[in-house]
Amino acid sequence: MDTEDMVRDALRDEAARATVADWSAEPVRIHVRRQRRVRRVAMGASAVVAALAVVAGTGAVLSAQRGAQDVGPAAQAPRVPVGPAPEAVVVESGQQLPLGRPDWWVQLKDQEICIHDAPAYGSGPGCSGYSWAAGASEITMQYYGAPGQNHEGLYNLVYHGPGQVARMTIELDGRAYWATVASLPGSPGYASGYVWGSSLKPSTDPKKDPLKGIKIAAYDAQGRMLASKTLPS
């Protein structure tokens, strides 16, 4: 018998003498099961954190009036216009605010918005008023066409609800625009935004709504979305 065979025989004899007690196997199995449960719990917690991160990335709406609202994927959220937003302005009740076109101006009142549009009134003193409180939703829109300027129209956004509006946006034909935001001093409960954009083309098909697909939104000074809507709705 050579040296290598002698080593093998010695190892086999030592292994034969080493036995494992019957009581030791179950504690080992329990320990393994515990370790597996810990790993599963840790993986579950990680999944919850990841899910919350995904929800936060979708831009879910939080409203103090209606609580959390469901929002579609990020691709469905209103686009953010390029460049800085116009500075919001505060006007006195009944004050005429120019709208950037000759003989176009607006007056804000406690519960009414009055727009003077040149095609209807020329340079006269009249204006068409409507109550912002009449709408049931937090954000709405009024459109004023300019027959003498068929390439553009005035889009008037109105928000009423909790929070202080600092910026408003509108998306037309896939392009986003900032609106100039105006409000009354204090907390009258609403804000209005104005922007000139491409005119709405009337359709001879009664089933086609010229407002369809227009997206409007209102944000506070911190960039939180206060309300959004895709028309018609």
Side-chain angles (χ1 to χ4, degrees):
M1 179 180 295
D2 58 17
T3 303
E4 184 176 349
D5 291 336
M6 293 175 63
V7 171
R8 287 198 183 97
D9 290 342
L11 291 174
R12 279 196 293 269
D13 292 342
E14 186 66 26
R17 287 194 295 270
T19 58
V20 179
D22 293 338
W23 54 265
S24 62
E26 183 59 24
V28 170
R29 282 195 292 267
I30 292 174
H31 177 72
V32 170
R33 285 197 294 268
R34 285 176 179 169
Q35 291 298 100
R36 287 175 179 171
R37 281 199 297 270
V38 169
R39 284 196 293 270
R40 282 198 296 269
V41 171
M43 291 175 63
S46 299
V48 171
V49 172
L52 290 174
V54 171
V55 171
T58 63
V61 178
L62 293 180
S63 168
Q65 183 178 30
R66 293 183 296 183
Q69 303 177 17
D70 293 331
V71 174
Q76 300 301 319
R79 297 185 181 183
V80 176
V82 177
E87 185 176 354
V89 297
V90 177
V91 296
E92 297 296 330
S93 179
Q95 175 185 339
Q96 289 187 10
L97 176 66
L99 294 175
R101 300 293 185 273
D103 294 322
W104 284 81
W105 46 262
V106 62
Q107 290 177 326
L108 301 186
K109 301 178 181 180
D110 288 346
Q111 293 195 21
E112 185 184 50
I113 295 173
C114 194
I115 290 183
H116 178 280
D117 59 298
Y121 298 99
S123 58
C127 63
S128 56
Y130 63 93
S131 172
W132 62 263
S137 60
E138 288 183 340
I139 189 166
T140 56
M141 189 197 81
Q142 302 288 330
Y143 172 78
Y144 290 80
Q149 302 169 330
N150 292 325
H151 63 285
E152 67 176 358
L154 179 70
Y155 296 81
N156 172 214
L157 284 61
V158 184
Y159 169 84
H160 57 94
Q164 189 73 29
V165 177
R167 292 185 289 274
M168 302 178 90
T169 63
I170 182 170
E171 185 178 326
L172 303 169
D173 299 324
R175 182 178 177 184
Y177 302 84
W178 292 113
T180 298
V181 176
S183 61
L184 296 176
S187 302
Y190 79 100
S192 190
Y194 310 93
V195 61
W196 290 90
S198 56
S199 62
L200 295 178
K201 302 298 186 291
S203 174
T204 56
D205 186 351
K207 296 182 180 180
K208 291 185 178 180
D209 190 335
L211 297 176
K212 186 173 183 179
I214 295 177
K215 296 181 180 181
I216 55 179
Y219 303 82
D220 65 12
Q222 287 71 44
R224 291 188 293 261
M225 187 185 296
L226 298 174
S228 68
K229 179 184 292 187
T230 300
L231 302 177
S233 60

